Amino acid sequence: MDLIRRSAAELADALAAGETTSVEITRAYLDRIAAVDGDAEAGVHAFLHVDAEGALAQAAASDARRAAGEPLHPLDGVPIAVKDVLATSGLPTTCGSKILEGWVPPYDATVVAKLKAAGLPILGKTNMDEFAMGSSTEHSAYGPTRNPWDQTRIPGGSGGGSAAAVAAFEAPLALGTDTGGSIRQPGAVTGTVGVKPTYGGVSRYGLVALANSLDQVGPVTRTVLDSALLHELIGGHDPLDSTSVDAPVGDLVAAARQGAAGDLTGLKVGVIKELAGDGWQPGVMARFAESVDLLTKAGAEVVEVSCPSFVHALATYYLILPAEASSNLAKFDAMRYGLRVTPDGDPSAEDVMKATRDAGFGDEVKRRIIIGTYALSSGYYDAYYGQAQKVRTLISRDFEAAYEQVDVLVSPTAPTTAFPLGEKLDDPIAMYLNDLATIPANLAGVPGISVPVGLAEEDGLPVGFQILAPALADDRLYRVGAALEAAVTAAAGGPILDKLPEVQA
């Protein structure tokens, strides 16, 4: 089998058996990137920066460790891509924004440090919506990423670069961040697996914050087992992150292997009543219904569950997120790092700050800063931000009540398949609706996974199936996700990505 089409777990096994080397694997992926990634004008454009020299050096070091018989992490030598919102020492970190163009951090995010310690060569940094604000990766200051299934369509957002890189066989693994669905929704529209861990289950240290109470780093992969392997590596308590949970990650790999056997006897699955109906694409709902049937055939008991406060999740999220974002982005003031625009004449510090923020931030970032600042302003705080936090509590209570009845909750990951580039750029509300099903998990801090379950009849594009579990019960995602993946693969005669059309540069 072609090296780039093997799963990360298969590559790890091949390395352990001496069938290939990390340098061979890394070079194969770098060649694939050179062949199909292109730039802002053509190709997938999943990467903003490719570190070929560094990746090959890390791969050679991995091969040397293996030859010396040193103890190795299972993924040692398997390459990975990293979303450009995570600090990487020696590599640019732009967050998809002109205001950070060329900035090279002096330190690594904790998750990046863990990747390096485990020996995973870092291929480069992936494209994203500016400061993770968007559902389509069209808000990147460096041009959009394109969906490898149809390059006239979006790859999801904000982490469309990571999802597209994995779907286009430019990387076997990637890291993303999920604030309101930015791992799961791109996973759904590109036919990849995307996981949002429990809030605090993976360190956020070194993640350039969009919304502190919502952001979470997680895996982007081609199989559920690959996600489990990567999640176990990056998870765990971090004293550098005040929101980090001091609890074990759990045996996620074992849960995935158990699920792959296909037996879900004794498991109760709740179909969320509020996440379906008018406006949901028929092809998405058809694949969802088939997947629920597959869970039933695997032995799960399926019931309908109502979470009435979920209908307010979108409005709640788009008050809390801009409020936190406006506060977080205040640090980009042209005084310490990043872009600096100096107006003519004898400008004051305030003049420099205004000119820099005007030139450095894109329209969507400016929109959310304005909304957030307004929601936090005197006289409006209680009416907007305060009310949103109260509704957030109601959403958390809906989850708690649901998990008293069932073990996991399920829904389609996104209401539609990938839409055409440019279709919703001038309609922010229509764009925001793509996160309708994913946002509740971020507001409550519970974990979720999107698993590809087939192609929609209307357009032949991938559909994602979302599974949500209680906080710190991430292992349930992997058990149910792996069982569903195995059933879908068996029914389809192979993985969904086997049907990917030829990707053009």
Side-chain angles (χ1 to χ4, degrees):
M1 181 191 286
D2 189 349
L3 278 178
I4 63 168
R5 290 188 171 265
R6 295 191 188 188
S7 70
E10 289 168 344
L11 290 173
D13 290 343
L15 284 167
E19 297 171 6
T20 187
T21 66
S22 180
V23 168
E24 288 176 343
I25 295 168
T26 303
R27 187 171 285 122
Y29 276 107
L30 290 170
D31 288 347
R32 175 68 171 178
I33 293 168
V36 304
D37 202 59
D39 54 27
E41 303 302 322
V44 178
H45 195 221
F47 284 87
L48 293 180
H49 180 80
V50 178
D51 184 25
E53 183 179 344
L56 287 170
Q58 292 163 352
S62 172
D63 290 337
R65 285 191 298 273
R66 196 173 297 276
E70 295 180 21
L72 302 175
H73 186 276
L75 291 176
D76 196 317
V78 179
I80 190 167
V82 175
K83 187 178 180 181
D84 201 31
V85 73
L86 291 160
T88 43
S89 175
L91 295 181
T93 299
T94 71
C95 299
S97 178
K98 289 291 185 185
I99 210 162
L100 279 177
E101 187 170 16
W103 181 61
V104 178
Y107 69 102
D108 283 322
T110 294
V111 290
V112 173
K114 287 186 173 187
L115 297 180
K116 290 182 176 179
L120 282 72
I122 295 174
L123 296 166
K125 306 296 288 294
T126 56
N127 199 11
M128 56 181 283
D129 284 299
E130 185 179 7
F131 286 105
M133 298 189 199
S135 303
S136 65
T137 315
E138 292 174 282
H139 295 298
S140 169
Y142 305 100
T145 296
R146 300 172 190 84
N147 194 321
W149 287 86
D150 177 349
Q151 291 182 43
T152 68
R153 293 178 182 259
I154 60 101
S158 63
S162 287
V166 172
F169 301 101
E170 296 179 68
L173 301 165
L175 286 185
T177 60
D178 193 307
T179 306
S182 293
I183 292 175
R184 289 163 289 153
Q185 184 252 7
V189 300
T190 60
T192 55
V193 176
V195 179
K196 184 203 98 65
T198 295
Y199 180 77
V202 176
S203 174
R204 293 189 308 108
Y205 178 77
L207 160 62
V208 180
L210 166 56
N212 304 59
S213 72
L214 300 165
D215 297 337
Q216 190 57 68
V217 182
V220 181
T221 67
R222 290 198 285 271
T223 71
V224 174
L225 177 58
D226 286 357
S227 280
L229 286 162
L230 183 54
H231 189 163
E232 279 196 16
L233 169 57
I234 63 174
H237 181 248
D238 179 14
L240 297 175
D241 176 7
S242 63
T243 63
S244 179
V245 177
D246 192 1
V249 181
D251 199 341
L252 309 179
V253 173
R257 295 191 190 281
Q258 178 193 4
D263 184 7
L264 295 179
T265 303
L267 191 95
K268 290 193 73 171
V269 174
V271 175
I272 303 170
K273 176 184 175 183
E274 286 73 18
L275 297 183
D278 292 342
W280 293 72
Q281 186 175 322
V284 169
M285 295 311 300
R287 297 293 82 75
F288 177 71
E290 291 169 2
S291 300
V292 170
D293 287 343
L294 290 174
L295 293 179
T296 303
K297 290 175 182 175
E301 178 187 350
V302 177
V303 298
E304 187 176 75
V305 173
S306 179
C307 297
S309 298
F310 281 20
V311 297
H312 305 299
L314 195 69
T316 301
Y317 176 83
Y318 280 106
L319 281 169
I320 292 173
L321 177 138
E324 294 188 13
S326 70
S327 176
N328 279 322
L329 297 186
K331 62 178 170 282
F332 298 104
D333 56 8
M335 298 297 136
R336 289 164 287 189
Y337 47 75
L339 180 71
R340 177 179 292 181
V341 177
T342 305
D344 295 335
D346 185 21
S348 66
E350 185 178 349
D351 293 332
V352 172
M353 192 183 305
K354 283 199 286 189
T356 300
R357 289 168 69 84
D358 182 46
F361 288 142
D363 290 344
E364 183 63 22
V365 172
K366 290 173 183 174
R367 179 185 292 118
R368 297 199 197 188
I369 289 173
I370 291 168
I371 293 170
T373 304
Y374 181 84
L376 290 174
S377 61
S378 177
Y380 297 100
Y381 179 95
D382 289 336
Y384 294 108
Y385 185 74
Q387 285 294 102
Q389 292 290 14
K390 290 176 183 177
V391 177
R392 183 180 195 169
T393 299
L394 296 178
I395 291 167
S396 295
R397 288 176 181 169
D398 277 359
F399 271 115
E400 291 167 6
Y403 289 133
E404 289 177 1
Q405 304 171 55
V406 297
D407 299 299
V408 296
L409 294 167
V410 299
S411 76
T413 309
T416 69
T417 55
F419 51 86
L421 288 160
E423 183 180 84
K424 300 183 181 182
L425 268 179
D426 297 327
D427 189 349
I429 301 301
M431 184 79 79
Y432 298 164
L433 286 168
N434 285 282
D435 300 329
L436 197 65
T438 52
I439 279 172
N442 296 83
L443 290 170
V446 302
I449 186 173
S450 178
V451 178
V453 290
L455 307 177
E457 290 90 348
E458 302 94 331
D459 47 30
L461 294 172
V463 174
F465 184 97
Q466 178 176 237
I467 304 159
L468 304 172
L472 299 176
D474 301 56
D475 59 314
R476 296 186 197 175
L477 301 180
Y478 291 100
R479 182 186 171 199
V480 180
L484 179 59
E485 177 184 65
V488 169
T489 302
I496 302 302
L497 280 169
D498 281 357
K499 299 176 182 177
L500 182 77
E502 187 64 34
V503 180
Q504 301 298 319

